[in-house]
């Protein structure tokens, strides 16, 4: 049974057992675990992404920066499978996010301050964006890592007194601590911090030899060098395990211009090697227990790819890792998983950047296999490094790491820099220009972005509720009477949605009324069953029957009080097709829900006779609307959803004025201007389960307000005591589920 307390569960679980035929032959089992690869639809082809993408420790949130190539503006964002993409606030109009706490409640990065013109380290939490302290009023700072609980933030800042760049930490209040340099050094940068907040890692200038040296700071104490790989003269530390026991990064070595490494106090620094036929590798992230390392490496044909390393498997491309967990994983031509930039605490979720349909695209890859454990610690033999000639003092490290350098891309040989291509791939040592590498025929499968589709589902109830509101306000009436005091009205109401909800619909209606006294009318009505609404690519086909009753006191053409009350009940069902993107294109799942709606509407005003044939009535109104969708489970598509039942209650207030011009027996012209405001709502969350993937709980979306301008005419009909009516209303600011245009055609006859 699915555990709803577990946010993510295997979508595919397959067990293959091979049993020997002989009694003396032991049985063998090989397990294949489920995987999911999510490629968030974060924008159009005009958007690019910084190569330093971060992820929360629980594996549920991706953070980064997205640049619009037409405006050059970079915006920070967060993305979750169920919530979709959400832009984060900025200090002006530009920001980028680099890392997130374990549960994603704290995000860190930087933002361009529109007042001072400085790039300033910032954090985001539930209360918004918070600028952090500069170092002696320096000109820039950036936050690059955050502890699991969000209380310790690591990065760098320019020192306003010396002009040097310095590794720093901030606490949750934004107060800064200067971590300092290695001896004889003049710069340092903090790139990450352990989940417990005690160990900060990065690099600092090696004052004795020049260049960069992987560095750690424990509880704010002095900088400690982690050394270099055998044959190397430079290194950088990128990330640490939860308690700082293991540290990963990259540096040059006797084997490579850039090689990924793992460091521990017991074993020292050791290289993680290369992929098959590869020459370069760099580590960017490490799991909580230090068993899983992720990064970027090249392979056959100088093609760059993300990798995942454990002591058991060695270095594997992400594609190899995914296929180990699900041999059926099929790759799409022209796509690739180019680099891994971060990993979840359990090591089973990898964040990174790939190529999708010819453009850069973030991805989140998840395995449901067992959690890896670290290999036993072995003390390394003492190795005497070869004598090397140091480069000129300070080369390559006097400028801060740009987004990507010192993050998802390794430096060139002997420098602290390195360059990145469009997808964050490293440049071979010694090259000062980007190199074009062939894109392998690999790809991404799985969901793109379920959040958009679920947010569409939150509008189903309001879209149908708006239809019922139009019935009780506009279609449920009858105004033509003869000697017996009876009126029969046949009408057709046409709606056009042009906001989030789209589509054109026509509803037939029948109303019968009786004039009890010259000023008092009561009646009943019915609205036809068919409706069809489009919400982005979702389709809601309604089949409901609606009945209502109303009573009116007064006359819109006679001076005095006018009051109206109406009630309606609607019962039926709706067939709902929900669309979403997968790696194979657009997919859809279909389900059917029972619908029950109630409406109570009231209106009161006073009619003023301006001239003998002109009447003006200011009025106010109140509508209570209740819609319930029963729970249902979709029965088709690759990612069906089980929706819980949900109820939406809204109270809307209306203030407006109508004007009427009576042209005797020939025609009555009318005009209407009104404002509608939502006064209160009590809505259940949109909740349920993406079967085999995750439970969800989202707020339902509702329209806050709109304005309406309307015109109408009633003409004398072809038979005695009859009228033909036509009215039209246009609604402004009806951006979500409210119809933007409403037209009604009616024919009424009196008896």
């Amino acid at each position: 049974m699915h555990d709803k307390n577990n946010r993510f569960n295997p979508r595919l679980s397959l067990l293959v057992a091979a049993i020997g035929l002989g009694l003396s032959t032991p049985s063998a089992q090989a397990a294949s675990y489920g995987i999911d690869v999510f490629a968030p639809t974060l924008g159009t082809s005009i958007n690019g992404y910084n190569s330093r993408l971060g992820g929360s420790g629980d594996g549920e949130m991706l953070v980064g920066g997205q640049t619009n190539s037409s405006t050059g503006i970079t915006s920070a964002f967060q993305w979750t499978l169920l919530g979709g993409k959400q832009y984060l606030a900025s200090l002006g109009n530009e920001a980028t996010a680099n890392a997130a706490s374990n549960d994603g409640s704290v995000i860190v990065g930087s933002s361009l301050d529109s007042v001072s013109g400085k790039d300033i380290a910032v954090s985001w939490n539930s209360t918004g964006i918070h600028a952090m302290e500069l170092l002696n009023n320096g000109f820039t700072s950036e936050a690059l890592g955050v502890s699991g609980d969000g209380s310790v933030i690591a990065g760098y800042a320019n020192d306003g007194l010396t002009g040097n760049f310095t590794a720093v930490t901030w606490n949750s209040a934004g107060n800064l601590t200067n971590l300092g340099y290695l001896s004889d050094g003049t710069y340092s940068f903090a790139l990450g911090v352990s989940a417990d907040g005690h160990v900060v890692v990065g690099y600092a200038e090696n004052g004795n030899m020049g260049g960069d040296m992987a560095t750690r700071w424990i509880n704010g104490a002095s900088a400690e060098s982690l050394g270099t790989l055998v044959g190397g003269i430079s290194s950088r530390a990128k990330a640490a395990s939860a308690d700082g026991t293991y540290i990963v990064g990259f540096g040059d070595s006797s084997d490579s211009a850039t090689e990924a490494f793992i460091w521990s106090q017991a074993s020292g620094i050791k290289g993680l090697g290369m992929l098959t036929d590869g020459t370069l590798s760099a580590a960017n992230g490490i799991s909580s227990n230090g068993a899983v390392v992720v990064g970027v490496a090249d392979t056959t044909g100088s093609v760059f790819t993300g990798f995942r390393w454990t002591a058991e498997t060695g270095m594997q491309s992400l594609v190899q890792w995914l296929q180990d967990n699900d041999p059926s994983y099929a790759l799409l031509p022209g796509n690739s998983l180019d680099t891994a930039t971060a990993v979840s605490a359990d090591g089973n979720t990898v964040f990174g950047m790939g190529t999708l349909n010819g453009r850069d695209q973030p991805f989140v890859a998840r395995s449901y296999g067992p959690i890896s454990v670290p290999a036993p610690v072995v003390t390394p033999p003492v190795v005497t490094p070869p004598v090397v000639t140091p480069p000129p003092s300070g080369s390559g490290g006097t400028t801060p790491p740009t987004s990507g350098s010192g993050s998802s891309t390794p430096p060139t040989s002997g420098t602290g820099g390195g360059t990145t291509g469009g997808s964050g791939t490293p440049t071979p040592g010694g090259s000062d220009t980007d190199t074009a590498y062939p894109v392998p025929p690999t790809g991404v499968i799985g969901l793109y972005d379920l959040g958009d589709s679920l947010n569409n589902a939150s509008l189903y109830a309001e879209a149908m509720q708006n239809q019922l509101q139009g019935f009780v306000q506009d279609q449920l009436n009858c105004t033509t009477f003869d000697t017996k005091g009876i009126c029969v009205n046949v009408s057709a109401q046409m709606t056009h949605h042009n906001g989030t909800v789209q589509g054109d619909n026509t509803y037939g209606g029948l109303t019968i009324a009786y004039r009890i006294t010259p000023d008092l009318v009561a009646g009943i009505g019915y609205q036809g069953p068919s409706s069809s609404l489009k919400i982005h690519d979702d389709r809601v086909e309604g089949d409901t029957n609606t009945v209502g009753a109303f009573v009116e006191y007064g006359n819109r053409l006679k001076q005095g009080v006018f009051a109206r009350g109406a009630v309606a009940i609607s019962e039926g069902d709706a067939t709902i097709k929900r669309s979403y993107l997968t790696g194979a294109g657009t997919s859809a799942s279909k389900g059917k829900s029972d619908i029950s709606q109630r409406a109570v509407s009231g209106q009161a005003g006073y009619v003023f006779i301006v001239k003998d044939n002109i009447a003006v009535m200011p009025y106010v109104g109140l509508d209570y609307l209740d819609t319930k969708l029963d729970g249902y489970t979709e029965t088709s598509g690759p990612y069906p959803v089980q929706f819980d039942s949900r109820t939406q209650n809204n109270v809307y207030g209306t203030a407006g004025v109508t004007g009427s011009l009576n042209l005797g027996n020939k025609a009555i012209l009318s005009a209407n201007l009104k404002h509608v405001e939502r006064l209160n709502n009590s809505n259940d969350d949109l909740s349920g389960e993406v079967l085999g993937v995750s439970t969800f709980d989202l707020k339902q979306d509702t329209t806050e307000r709109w304005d309406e301008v309307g015109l109408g005419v009633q003409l004398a009909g072809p038979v005695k005591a009859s009228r033909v009516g036509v009215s039209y209303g246009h609604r402004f600011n009806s951006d979500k589920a409210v119809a933007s245009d409403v037209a009604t055609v009616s024919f009424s006859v009196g008896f």
Side-chain angles (χ1 to χ4, degrees), residues 598-620:
R598 305 289 185 269
V600 179
S601 177
Q603 188 182 100
Y606 191 88
V607 180
F608 296 92
I609 303 300
V610 180
K611 290 186 178 181
D612 291 342
N613 62 340
I614 299 177
V616 176
M617 182 183 75
Y619 66 93
V620 294

Side-chain angles (χ1 to χ4, degrees), residues 214-226:
T215 305
R216 71 170 177 172
W217 295 263
I218 300 177
N219 293 322
S222 299
E224 300 178 31
S225 169
L226 302 182

Side-chain angles (χ1 to χ4, degrees), residues 491-510:
S491 63
Q493 187 175 78
M494 291 149 283
T495 62
H496 171 68
H497 288 78
N498 195 32
T500 306
V501 177
Q502 298 181 348
D504 301 311
N505 293 280
T506 300
Y507 311 104
L510 172 66

Side-chain angles (χ1 to χ4, degrees), residues 415-481:
T415 73
T419 59
T420 63
S423 59
T425 54
T427 302
S431 173
D432 293 327
T433 60
D434 288 349
T435 303
Y437 299 106
V439 178
T442 60
V444 178
I445 65 169
L447 283 172
Y448 281 96
D449 197 337
L450 188 60
D452 286 345
S453 178
L454 293 178
N455 285 329
N456 292 342
S458 72
L459 293 171
Y460 298 163
E462 189 184 1
M464 290 180 285
Q465 195 173 88
N466 181 243
Q467 171 192 338
L468 184 64
Q469 188 176 24
F471 172 68
V472 295
Q473 285 189 345
D474 302 320
Q475 202 172 9
L476 187 60
N477 63 66
C478 205
T479 58
T480 305
F481 298 90

